[in-house]
Amino acid sequence: MRAYLLLMLVAAAVTYLSTPAARWIARRTNAITAVRARDVHATPRPRLGGLAMLLGIVVSVLLASQMPFLSGVFETPQAWGIVGGATIVCLLGWADDVWDLDWVTKLAGQVLAAGFMALMQVQLTWLPTPGGLTIGDSNQSLIATVFVVVVAMNAVNFVDGLDGLAAGVIAIGGSAFLLYTYSLTQQASPQDYSSLATLMMAVLVGVCIGFLPHNFFPSHIFMGDSGSMVLGLVFAGAAITVTGNIDPAATRDALSGAQRVPLFIPLLLPVAVVLLPLLDMGMAVVRRLAAGKSPFHPDRMHLHHRMLALGHSHRRAVLILYVWAAVFSFGAAALVRWEWRVVLVGLGIAIVVALVLTLGPLRTRGRFLDDDVATGAQPAVDAPAPAVPASGHTSTHEGRTR
C-alpha cells in the first residue's frame, strides 16, 4: 500500500503545482467559461484544469513504471492505453473549451479515445452477472467497452456543476474503489499486491486531491471538459481492468450464492459513484421531453440547482453531495468485507443521516459553511437569501450536449 500512497502523493503534488500554469494557458488560449443566464458563477473563469490533472497522471504512471513492485503491471500495454486515452480526451476537451465543438465531434473524439484503450487491451471481456456472461465476440467486446467508457466520461461531466463537486465525488468514489481493488488483490494473490486498477485509482484520487484546493468554492479555475472526461475515462478504464483479471468460469465453479456478491462490484461501484448524476441526467431528459423540448435543452432544475433552492450555500451543498457519494460508494465497497444483509442495514442508516443533512436544519445553520464567510463578503441584512448564490459554476458541458 505504501507504493500506492506514494504515487497518490506524487499525483496530488504535480497537479497542485501545475494548476496555476494550466490557468495561465487557459487565459492565453481564451478557454474561459462565460457567464450565462442559467449559470451559478458571476464572473468568467478559466477552465483547463484537466491539463494539470493529465500531467499528474502521466508523471505518476511514469514513476510507477520504474518501480520493481509494479513491474508486472506494465507487462501489458493496458496502463499506457489508459494514459493514451486520457491524453486524447484531454486534448479534445481543450479544443472544446476553446472553440465550443459540436456534440457530434466530441462524441467522435470520445469514441476514438475509448477505441484506443480497447486496442491497447483495455476491454470488457465478460460481465459479472449471476451466470458470468462472457462476451465472446471481439466486436461485441469493443462496442461494450466503448459504450461503458463514453457513458462514464459524460456522467462525470454531468456532475461537474458546482465548485469542487466533480473532483470531490471522484476522489471519494475512487478511494472506495481503491480499497476494493486492493482487498481483491490481497485475496487473489497474497504474494503479489501489484494491480493496475489499484495503481490507476491511487493516481486518480491523487489528481483530484491536488486539484481541489484550486477548485473548491470560491474556485480559481474549473476542470472543464478536459478534466471531467479524463476523470471519467480513467475511472472506467480501471473498472474494466478489474473485470479482465477475473476468470468467470473459475469463479462460477468456485463460488456460489452470496459468495459471488463482491464480483459484481466492478460494475456496481462505478454506478454507485455516479448514481446521483445519472439519476439527475435521467430526470432531466424526462422533464425536458415532457415539456416538449429537446433532451439537450438546458435548464436550472439540476440536482445542484435544487440543493441551492433548498437554502443550502454553495459550500454546504457540495459537502452534502460528498456525503451522498460516500454513502453509495463505500456502501458498495463494503460488500467485499461484510455480509450483504449487514451492509444493507448500515446503508439504510447512512441514507437516513444523509437525508437529515439534506433536508434538515443544516440548510440554514453552520455559519462557517456560508459562502460569504469563504469569500469575505458581507452577508445581506434584512433581506431574504437568494435561491442561487452569486458564485460557483455549472457544468461547462451544459447546453452543448445535454
Side-chain angles (χ1 to χ4, degrees):
M1 179 60 80
R2 286 179 296 179
Y4 296 124
L5 293 178
L6 172 62
L7 292 170
M8 184 188 300
L9 179 62
V10 169
V14 171
T15 303
Y16 177 78
L17 294 175
S18 59
T19 297
R23 187 165 62 244
W24 181 84
I25 294 174
R27 295 188 185 281
R28 296 284 293 183
T29 59
N30 199 35
I32 306 295
T33 301
V35 180
R36 299 162 297 186
R38 63 182 175 276
D39 286 343
V40 196
H41 66 282
T43 58
R45 307 279 178 87
R47 57 183 183 188
L48 281 184
L51 293 181
M53 292 179 169
L54 178 65
L55 183 62
I57 292 172
V58 171
V59 171
S60 300
V61 173
L62 285 173
L63 176 61
S65 68
Q66 303 303 311
M67 292 182 172
F69 167 67
L70 294 170
S71 59
V73 169
F74 293 90
E75 291 178 354
T76 68
Q78 289 182 315
W80 305 118
I82 296 175
V83 172
T87 303
I88 293 173
V89 295
C90 184
L91 295 176
L92 174 69
W94 186 356
D96 182 40
D97 289 335
V98 175
W99 293 299
D100 194 11
L101 303 177
D102 62 87
W103 71 270
V104 175
T105 303
K106 284 190 289 187
L107 180 60
Q110 292 174 347
V111 170
L112 175 65
F116 177 81
M117 283 177 50
L119 182 65
M120 300 294 280
Q121 301 180 20
V122 182
Q123 285 198 43
L124 272 174
T125 56
W126 76 287
L127 299 175
T129 62
L133 176 61
T134 300
I135 306 175
D137 183 81
S138 59
N139 291 330
Q140 293 178 354
S141 176
L142 175 61
I143 293 172
T145 300
V146 170
F147 176 78
V148 168
V149 175
V150 170
V151 168
M153 283 190 284
N154 286 285
V156 175
N157 182 274
F158 204 85
V159 79
D160 185 24
L162 295 173
D163 290 356
L165 182 57
V169 166
I170 296 302
I172 293 169
S175 298
F177 211 126
L178 188 153
L179 294 176
Y180 159 69
T181 57
Y182 187 74
S183 177
L184 191 65
T185 303
Q186 284 181 311
Q187 297 173 20
S189 55
Q191 305 303 319
D192 182 10
Y193 292 169
S194 62
S195 163
L196 175 58
T198 308
L199 162 64
M200 296 312 302
M201 279 301 160
V203 172
L204 187 66
V205 172
V207 298
C208 290
I209 292 174
F211 184 65
L212 267 174
H214 299 280
N215 184 235
F216 198 75
F217 183 87
S219 68
H220 304 293
I221 184 173
F222 300 157
M223 69 172 63
D225 287 358
S226 61
S228 61
M229 289 194 293
V230 165
L231 296 185
L233 180 138
V234 173
F235 201 106
I240 289 171
T241 61
V242 173
T243 63
N245 291 330
I246 300 175
D247 184 350
T251 299
R252 186 167 55 246
D253 295 338
L255 302 177
S256 62
Q259 292 178 308
R260 294 184 185 175
V261 171
L263 302 177
F264 293 85
I265 306 301
L267 288 184
L268 179 60
L269 191 49
V271 173
V273 173
V274 294
L275 180 62
L276 290 180
L278 284 176
L279 290 175
D280 191 18
M281 182 168 60
M283 289 188 296
V285 170
V286 172
R287 179 174 66 246
R288 293 162 184 174
L289 289 176
K293 299 177 181 179
S294 165
F296 304 116
H297 183 79
D299 57 36
R300 292 180 59 90
M301 298 181 66
H302 289 301
L303 181 62
H304 50 274
H305 290 127
R306 294 177 185 273
M307 292 288 291
L308 298 173
L310 282 173
H312 290 293
S313 67
H314 191 123
R315 304 172 82 197
R316 189 182 293 110
V318 170
L319 292 175
I320 290 176
L321 290 172
Y322 284 176
V323 171
W324 281 105
V327 167
F328 292 122
S329 301
F330 285 95
L335 292 170
V336 180
R337 291 290 185 181
W338 291 284
E339 202 264 344
W340 69 270
R341 293 182 182 84
V342 176
V343 174
L344 191 60
V345 172
L347 183 62
I349 296 173
I351 289 175
V352 171
V353 173
L355 282 172
V356 171
L357 292 175
T358 304
L359 304 175
L362 187 62
R363 289 180 295 167
T364 56
R365 297 181 183 177
R367 177 80 178 114
F368 69 99
L369 290 176
D370 286 349
D371 294 341
D372 56 351
V373 173
T375 60
Q378 293 296 322
V381 179
D382 296 328
V388 178
S391 300
H393 80 288
T394 190
S395 171
T396 59
H397 206 57
E398 174 66 23
R400 300 203 298 271
T401 62
R402 284 191 263 149

